[in-house]
Amino acid sequence: MSHNDAMCVIQNLIKDNQVVYGGGLAEIACSIAISKYVDAVLGVDQYVTRAFVGTLTNQLSKDNIQLHLL
């Protein structure tokens, strides 16, 4: 990140202090909410839901560390 980029970020925050969070925040919030919900799910659906949460968090981990499996 260059000095100019940092200054632009500060300038934009002064003009409008609303921040849009990135870095997978929406996906993490989704996986936390689904993880809490999965305990209420019964039967085979619980396994499928847990697998979905696992896949979501694994994908986030790979994206965040720039690990792309072939």
Side-chain angles (χ1 to χ4, degrees):
M1 180 181 223
S2 71
H3 179 71
N4 185 45
D5 290 342
M7 294 303 289
C8 287
V9 167
I10 292 170
Q11 179 183 4
N12 288 336
L13 282 173
I14 291 171
K15 287 181 181 177
D16 183 9
N17 65 353
Q18 295 179 356
V19 177
V20 176
Y21 296 99
L25 181 70
E27 291 87 350
I28 291 170
C30 237
S31 69
I32 290 170
I34 296 170
S35 293
K36 290 178 182 177
Y37 165 76
V38 77
D39 292 330
V41 177
L42 300 174
V44 177
D45 291 338
Q46 186 179 47
Y47 293 111
V48 175
T49 310
R50 284 192 194 277
F52 176 73
V53 171
T55 303
L56 186 60
T57 41
N58 287 341
Q59 185 62 41
L60 281 171
S61 298
K62 286 192 297 186
D63 288 347
N64 286 337
I65 62 171
Q66 300 298 317
L67 175 65
H68 299 287
L69 301 176
L70 298 177

